[in-house]
Amino acid sequence: MKKTIIALLALAGVAGASEDTVTWTQLTLDNSDIIQTYDKTDGTGTVTKEDIPIDNAKKITIGTDGYGSLSGGSAALGWSESITLNESWKLVFELTDKALGEGDASLFSIKTKINKEIKDNTTQEITSGMTGPVEDAEILKVCEDGSLKLEKKVDGTPVGETSVSGLITANTATAVTLVFLAEEDTNGNDIGGTFYVYVGENGDSGDAVISYNVDERVEFGENYDARLWTNGGAETFSKIALYSGGVVTVPEPATATLSLLALAGLAARRRRR
């Protein structure tokens, strides 16, 4: 009986879990492929050789310890490993906000294409696939009350989740961890993923201040597709690190529920005996 109850509780924990463990590999930050302009497209896949400056684009400073920093402008992240971040990924940094201003300030944005395309990291020239309208997939912001916000634009309207206030204070370096866990069902089908935002030195080992599920796989792209923003130097970043992970398998709710009911029935039967 006791063993049955323990098994029932364990399965309940699995069924209710919103997060799973992946093995993280830290990537080697590398600016060599990062560009500060991109080629214009006409929306049909045709690329013209007109270089368009990326707004206030800079390159992060990479220290001898391998960590990055940024104190002005916007910047993308590149890495030297031959890997595409289309599964789980994790971005870590220390944020210092000089003075929490009025309204929300963007810290990190990541863009996606409705119709996927593959681009050369150096020239941004399309090598295969189709272009499509660009939309802001997810944007991490800091708010004037010291909260963090993760939002997505749906038909031009921002929706998302906001943390409690007071997490970020002016002129105080605060560790922030943004995690995207790519998810698939037990048949290997892509079912999107979940964003988690953590605050504090414990990284993703503590409780998330934001948990937000999305129904599409969000890739972390180099160059124009993903950027950090300092908003004219109002925010600065240090100890920037980037990690890659695998895919989390999420059991179907119905399967987990049936398993719980079966165990509950077994426990009740043993109790009657």
Side-chain angles (χ1 to χ4, degrees):
M1 176 66 179
K2 183 177 180 180
K3 291 182 179 180
T4 303
I5 294 175
I6 292 173
L8 184 61
L9 291 173
L11 186 56
V14 172
S18 60
E19 185 176 356
D20 202 352
T21 301
V22 299
T23 300
W24 296 109
T25 300
Q26 185 171 356
L27 301 180
T28 306
L29 297 180
D30 183 1
N31 280 330
S32 60
D33 287 340
I34 295 300
I35 62 172
Q36 294 171 277
T37 61
Y38 64 98
D39 287 334
K40 183 180 180 181
T41 71
D42 63 5
T44 64
T46 301
V47 179
T48 63
K49 295 300 181 182
E50 181 181 354
D51 288 336
I52 309 297
I54 298 173
D55 293 341
N56 202 17
K58 306 289 184 182
K59 293 184 179 181
I60 66 167
T61 299
I62 302 174
T64 56
D65 57 2
Y67 291 92
S69 61
L70 180 68
S71 58
S74 71
L77 298 178
W79 49 93
S80 58
E81 287 81 4
S82 181
I83 185 173
T84 301
L85 294 186
N86 58 3
E87 296 183 347
S88 298
W89 50 263
K90 175 168 64 171
L91 174 64
V92 180
F93 54 83
E94 277 196 356
L95 171 69
T96 301
D97 195 304
K98 293 182 179 179
L100 294 172
E102 296 181 0
D104 305 336
S106 295
L107 300 174
F108 174 75
S109 62
I110 191 162
K111 294 176 180 287
T112 187
K113 302 285 186 180
I114 294 177
N115 297 314
K116 291 292 184 181
E117 65 182 25
I118 300 173
K119 297 179 291 184
D120 181 271
N121 276 338
T122 302
T123 65
Q124 292 291 281
E125 188 171 347
I126 298 170
T127 57
S128 65
M130 297 175 59
T131 61
V134 179
E135 62 177 9
D136 284 322
E138 268 69 38
I139 306 175
L140 180 64
K141 295 182 174 182
V142 59
C143 307
E144 57 184 311
D145 63 356
S147 62
L148 293 170
K149 178 187 293 184
L150 186 66
E151 70 178 28
K152 174 180 179 178
K153 289 184 179 179
V154 178
D155 296 329
T157 302
V159 296
E161 298 289 339
T162 304
S163 71
V164 297
S165 62
L167 295 176
I168 306 298
T169 57
N171 297 306
T172 302
T174 304
V176 178
T177 301
L178 173 63
V179 175
F180 175 71
L181 287 184
E183 298 169 351
E184 62 181 20
D185 61 23
T186 52
N187 294 320
N189 299 313
D190 177 9
I191 56 173
T194 305
F195 278 95
Y196 298 92
V197 179
Y198 303 87
V199 173
E201 295 295 340
N202 291 330
D204 57 356
S205 61
D207 294 329
V209 299
I210 297 176
S211 174
Y212 184 49
N213 183 259
V214 293
D215 58 7
E216 69 276 330
R217 183 76 59 85
V218 179
E219 299 181 6
F220 192 111
E222 294 183 274
N223 292 314
Y224 187 63
D225 293 330
R227 304 195 73 79
L228 293 167
W229 302 88
T230 66
N231 305 296
E235 288 81 34
T236 61
F237 299 84
S238 61
K239 297 183 180 179
I240 301 170
L242 186 61
Y243 300 80
S244 66
V247 179
V248 178
T249 300
V250 179
E252 295 181 14
T255 302
T257 301
L258 289 174
S259 299
L260 286 172
L261 290 174
L263 276 177
L266 178 61
R269 182 179 178 183
R270 289 184 176 179
R271 203 163 42 242
R272 286 195 300 270
R273 287 181 177 179

